[in-house]
Amino acid sequence: MSDVIDRPILAEEEAAKSRLRIIDCDVHPSIHAHGDLDQFLSKRWQEHLRTYGSHLRTPYIGTTPYPRSSPLIARRDAWPPTGGPPGSDLDFMRKQHLDPLNVEYGILQVLDLFIFSQQNLEFGAAIQRAINDWQLAFWSDRDPRLKASILAGQDDTQFAIAEIERCAKIGRYVQINVCPRANEPLGRRRYWPIYARAQELGLPLGIHVGGYGGHAPTGGGWPSYYVEEHQSNAHTMAAQLTSLVLEGVPERFPDLKIVFIEGGFGWIPSATWRMDRHFEAFRSEVPHLKRRPSEYVKEHFWFTTQPIDEPDEGKHLRSLIEWVGADRLLFSSDYPHWDFDDPRYAFKTPLSETERRKIFNGNARALYKL
Amino acid sequence: MARHIVARTSDIPPGGNKVFGVDGRDIVVFHVNGEFFALLNRCPHEGAPLEKAACVARLTSPEPGIYQRSRVGELLRCPWHGWEFDMRNGQSYFDPKRVKVRSYPVAIESGEKLQKGPYVAETFPVHVEDSYIIIET
């Protein structure tokens, strides 16, 4: 008999669930077939996609460096009955995810074609532009619950700015996405024009795990197994939080809001404690910082919940939520990927009514102005 | 213990499964190598439907580079997070004492035998030559 499955749902949990609609900050739509992008790509790039295809900044032609845990990293039950890859059929997404889980809004996060990791930056930029249009035509226009993000790979900073301007004029995107694995750490000045524009436009900067910047995914080199690489998502996010804070991005752009997506949140306390201690010792090296690193983290950063760390004892998760702060957490499911979190069962510790409202709905509503 | 006649053995092909609503619960019956196993159709972790699980072998490795498969098709791998369960008793591979899927005894009885007993289900046409799957809950 399982201790989890037989846990009775408390009356108040049931009531809270029925009242609360979910804002899911990480929903992955997929391109049904590359031809769907034709209408948004110039002839030149249509031909390039067909002739040369995708080439990443890794030595693995036509594949990822690690075998994923399941085909297309998807839930086995998420393959649409109509064919096509998981996440490519809106009707099925509605039926399997949006409707039954009472999703009020889903923030789209597109990963197809390794949008941020193309070796050919011009091709990457063309795809980003096409996918930005595709998100509206194929998803947001057809279901107003689904909100698009402006994909703007930062390594071609000039293109990124132009694309942000173009999409901002359309006015229907809720976020600007850059990549956590790029040529240089995200705090570098070369990327600041993007942050300046995001601040002016009042759009949060979204950073979803993944991508291949050409560097090994861990600080120790290339690991042997996917399970090791998957673990490195957290290290990457910790490295980027450190870079953004210590290189002074929140100090320089005080109104910029930054969202870390799919990095989980278990690593945040130790990363911020360590930065604070080191800041006390080395503050003369970074005199541009006016406050303790943890203060910047508390005020400028948000973190989506999935994958939620699941310690053996629920009380440790409770402490973690308190350390990070229920104000900083945004619920995300990662639908339709294999490590999807169901909002009803994802938290292996009880949440108060206030925490539940903030995490599942309120924080995202305020952040994305929904 | 209530007995529920749910299907003919021939209704579930080898390697396949079928879900039955029994007393308000969804119970999934797997057919593996001539045997039938019945489990609650929910992963104890986050409730994924186990009917979509992969039926895999137990994979062990006495040392790096040496891999052994055993009990082919008898382990379930949850369709979401990949947690593995033993189909025979619902035990999880990684934490067998604490995390289990509820499992139910399955009996296979001939139509002839059932026809003589009290369990002639009105909704099932009974052919005496067939065998029937019975779940005990």
Side-chain angles (χ1 to χ4, degrees):
Chain A
M1 206 145 308
S2 153
D3 57 341
V4 179
I5 201 166
D6 292 324
R7 183 175 72 94
I9 292 175
L10 302 172
E12 52 269 33
E13 281 184 328
E14 189 60 61
K17 257 183 2 202
S18 59
R19 283 201 305 274
L20 199 58
R21 297 171 76 196
I22 303 290
I23 299 180
D24 181 351
C25 295
D26 189 11
V27 176
H28 294 291
S30 297
I31 297 165
H32 186 88
H34 286 173
D36 287 352
L37 291 183
D38 280 356
Q39 57 182 300
F40 312 114
L41 279 171
S42 67
K43 278 272 180 268
R44 185 258 183 279
W45 293 117
Q46 286 177 34
E47 278 167 24
H48 186 95
L49 178 57
R50 270 191 279 276
T51 310
Y52 300 102
S54 207
H55 289 276
L56 311 182
R57 295 182 206 131
T58 62
Y60 305 90
I61 303 295
T63 183
T64 58
Y66 297 95
R68 302 310 195 185
S69 57
S70 60
L72 294 182
I73 58 171
R75 276 168 50 168
R76 281 175 56 93
D77 61 342
W79 292 79
T82 47
S88 67
D89 180 326
L90 175 60
D91 286 336
F92 187 61
M93 182 190 282
R94 285 176 176 139
K95 194 173 144 220
Q96 184 173 51
H97 184 60
L98 302 177
D99 296 341
L101 297 183
N102 208 10
V103 175
E104 182 178 7
Y105 293 108
I107 313 294
L108 300 175
Q109 307 287 347
V110 188
L111 303 177
D112 287 30
L113 283 167
F114 296 91
I115 33 177
F116 294 125
S117 300
Q118 291 296 333
Q119 181 75 281
N120 180 332
L121 285 182
E122 256 192 294
F123 173 59
I127 290 178
Q128 287 161 36
R129 184 185 167 113
I131 290 179
N132 287 337
D133 289 336
W134 169 87
Q135 286 183 78
L136 296 185
F138 278 66
W139 300 91
S140 302
D141 286 353
R142 293 170 61 203
D143 195 315
R145 286 174 287 189
L146 297 173
K147 301 293 180 187
S149 302
I150 303 171
L151 308 179
Q154 68 269 33
D155 279 329
D156 188 338
T157 310
Q158 231 178 343
F159 164 77
I161 297 288
E163 183 60 4
I164 290 166
E165 301 297 350
R166 186 184 78 87
C167 293
K169 280 203 187 80
I170 300 170
R172 298 182 50 209
Y173 299 84
V174 297
Q175 180 169 253
I176 296 167
N177 278 18
V178 296
C179 182
R181 285 181 179 153
N183 283 343
E184 293 182 33
L186 278 166
R188 287 291 168 84
R189 270 171 192 272
R190 60 176 288 193
Y191 303 136
W192 286 15
I194 296 171
Y195 309 150
R197 203 62 195 106
Q199 177 175 257
E200 283 161 18
L201 290 165
L203 289 171
L205 187 75
I207 304 166
H208 187 290
V209 295
Y212 293 101
H215 310 296
T218 82
W222 291 90
S224 303
Y225 303 107
Y226 172 58
V227 62
E228 286 181 272
E229 194 230 12
H230 196 64
Q231 188 80 357
S232 77
N233 285 340
H235 318 163
T236 303
M237 292 313 231
Q240 297 298 19
L241 181 74
T242 306
S243 173
L244 286 161
V245 169
L246 297 185
E247 301 211 21
V249 170
E251 178 59 40
R252 177 71 180 72
F253 304 102
D255 295 327
L256 180 65
K257 297 172 163 65
I258 304 174
V259 191
F260 276 36
I261 304 158
E262 207 180 319
F265 56 92
W267 50 273
I268 297 165
S270 78
T272 50
W273 295 336
R274 185 176 287 227
M275 273 196 280
D276 277 358
R277 289 289 90 78
H278 287 171
F279 177 65
E280 285 160 10
F282 301 113
R283 62 185 306 159
S284 61
E285 191 198 2
V286 282
H288 51 274
L289 298 187
K290 305 288 185 265
R291 305 159 66 196
R292 300 170 88 209
S294 60
E295 292 175 44
Y296 294 114
V297 174
K298 282 278 181 198
E299 288 175 24
H300 297 270
F301 292 85
W302 282 258
F303 304 90
T304 66
T305 53
Q306 185 275 342
I308 293 181
D309 290 294
E310 295 178 19
D312 288 342
E313 292 188 43
K315 65 181 181 191
H316 296 145
L317 176 59
R318 167 118 295 281
S319 302
L320 187 53
I321 292 167
E322 286 164 11
W323 274 325
V324 174
D327 291 337
R328 318 313 297 173
L329 295 172
L330 309 168
F331 175 76
S332 63
S333 73
D334 196 29
Y335 178 86
H337 289 167
W338 71 267
D339 45 355
F340 162 85
D341 266 340
D342 185 310
R344 294 166 297 180
Y345 308 108
F347 287 85
K348 305 298 186 195
T349 187
L351 297 175
S352 72
E353 179 62 17
T354 310
E355 289 169 333
R356 189 174 286 280
R357 284 183 175 282
K358 286 178 175 177
I359 295 171
F360 284 106
N361 186 309
N363 293 341
R365 184 183 297 284
L367 181 70
Y368 292 117
K369 302 188 180 91
L370 295 170
Chain B
M1 204 172 250
R3 287 160 60 87
H4 308 267
I5 305 166
V6 294
R8 287 203 254 307
T9 50
S10 56
D11 290 343
I12 308 177
N17 72 63
K18 203 163 180 186
V19 180
F20 302 98
V22 177
D23 285 347
R25 284 165 292 202
D26 279 346
I27 294 178
V28 58
V29 178
F30 293 90
H31 179 180
V32 182
N33 306 326
E35 290 185 89
F36 292 85
F37 304 107
L39 298 148
L40 197 63
N41 189 27
R42 277 173 51 90
C43 178
H45 177 223
E46 287 197 26
L50 292 178
E51 69 190 282
K52 303 287 187 183
C55 299
V56 299
R58 183 167 176 187
L59 187 65
T60 49
S61 176
E63 58 184 283
I66 310 282
Y67 304 102
Q68 293 163 344
R69 291 170 85 235
S70 59
R71 301 187 53 200
V72 177
E74 288 186 23
L75 262 73
L76 282 178
R77 186 181 289 153
C78 173
W80 293 0
H81 303 90
W83 286 21
E84 287 180 354
F85 300 96
D86 187 333
M87 244 187 241
R88 286 183 186 278
N89 51 20
Q91 283 182 340
S92 64
Y93 179 76
F94 64 94
D95 193 358
K97 283 199 181 119
R98 242 169 57 88
V99 181
K100 289 185 183 182
V101 180
R102 186 173 293 168
S103 63
Y104 300 90
V106 176
I108 306 297
E109 292 184 10
S110 71
E112 190 176 17
K113 189 173 165 198
L114 287 172
Q115 201 178 33
K116 291 174 187 160
Y119 301 110
V120 182
E122 288 172 5
T123 51
F124 289 88
V126 173
H127 305 286
V128 292
E129 70 271 22
D130 280 348
S131 290
Y132 291 83
I133 302 169
I134 296 155
I135 303 174
E136 295 178 17
T137 61

